[in-house]
Amino acid sequence: MKHIISPLDLSTEELNDLLELATSISKDPKKYSSVCQGKKLATLFYEPSTRTRLSFEAAMLNLGGSVLGFSDSASSSVSKGESVEDTIRVISCYADICAMRHPKEGAPMVAAQYATIPVINAGDGGHNHPTQTLTDLLTIKELKGTLSGLTLGLCGDLKFGRTVHSLINAMVRYQDNHFILISPIELKIPDYLRQEVLIDNKIPFKEVQKLEPVMPELDLLYMTRVQKERFFNEEDYIRLRDSFILDMEKMTYARHDMLVLHPLPRVNEISLEVDHDPRAVYFKQAQYGVYVRMALIMTLLGLNK
Ligand code: CP
């Protein structure tokens, strides 16, 4: 039994197989409409979500399975003090696979130690968000045609943005990728990521505080929101929240084939006018999230053969 707690829980070969399956699903979703008949997915969301929870549910329903779970821990026995360990032991009796989002870093890993079903990390604190990364990889592969030889600009809250941490971890596995990390000084990537993932592996990167000068270099611009819920101090959040706003004026510096991705939700960091630019692919990205989660559920349940 396999769990997905970090994007690194899949080997590059497994990752490539999963993306291939997701591509096949995207071409003919109906072909897979009864693959998971009789199977149940539990969604245990201790933190708010729109895309991740609903795309997991849509994925399982598209595969002919069913879903159960909670989207607000206050309505579950967590509010009475039940531990993650006990909750997952019980859920293992009710479902075949589970997706868990939790504000505490490491909570899905704890759940995996007690589960008798596959556990998928659907986002743990500011740590990891592996299925968003799978979504991002599928989007890049489908729309750029490759996962190698790219210059990726990651912009916004690189300190608390778990999607950025997971994406860097995944993209360093492919050859010749360069990273341009664009953030205020206070929201730079965590030290462990800079040292252990980028410097130790001799991955080319630079850290900058301005977006416009680097726009012409980018194959991809991955925008992120400043993560209000992770700040200890509201004043700091208010000071930093509008550090970067991508608008059509800034888009004029970009290449004609640069793609703009965003895990969503968006707050202010991309002006609505950019939505009409064909290079803005964040809503397509949300659609790819369903296909890749279908592929992941099938793979973890051993139904991908
Ligand atoms: N991208 C993402 O994780 O969105 P949600 O928080 O809405 O699930």
Side-chain angles (χ1 to χ4, degrees), residues 45 48-53 101 122 129 132 162-163 225 263-265 293:
F45 276 64
S49 166
T50 296
R51 271 147 298 278
T52 310
R53 185 173 66 83
R101 170 169 289 188
H129 193 349
Q132 180 63 48
R162 58 192 171 199
T163 61
R225 117 190 122 85
L264 304 176
R293 289 182 175 101

Side-chain angles (χ1 to χ4, degrees), residues 67-87:
V67 294
L68 65 162
F70 56 81
S71 56
D72 173 10
S73 58
S75 68
S76 76
S77 285
V78 174
S79 61
K80 301 176 202 160
E82 187 166 47
S83 64
V84 163
E85 291 90 324
D86 285 358
T87 302

Side-chain angles (χ1 to χ4, degrees), residues 206-225:
K206 61 181 174 186
E207 294 181 279
V208 300
Q209 278 92 55
K210 284 215 175 299
L211 178 56
E212 290 92 323
V214 296
M215 282 292 267
E217 298 177 46
L218 304 179
D219 295 304
L220 285 172
L221 174 59
Y222 193 89
M223 293 296 295
T224 61
R225 117 190 122 85

Side-chain angles (χ1 to χ4, degrees), residues 92-120:
S92 294
C93 306
Y94 302 158
D96 301 285
I97 186 166
C98 129
M100 173 184 284
R101 170 169 289 188
H102 203 289
K104 276 204 191 129
E105 299 178 2
M109 191 162 71
V110 171
Q113 285 160 13
Y114 291 86
T116 55
I117 57 175
V119 174
I120 304 168

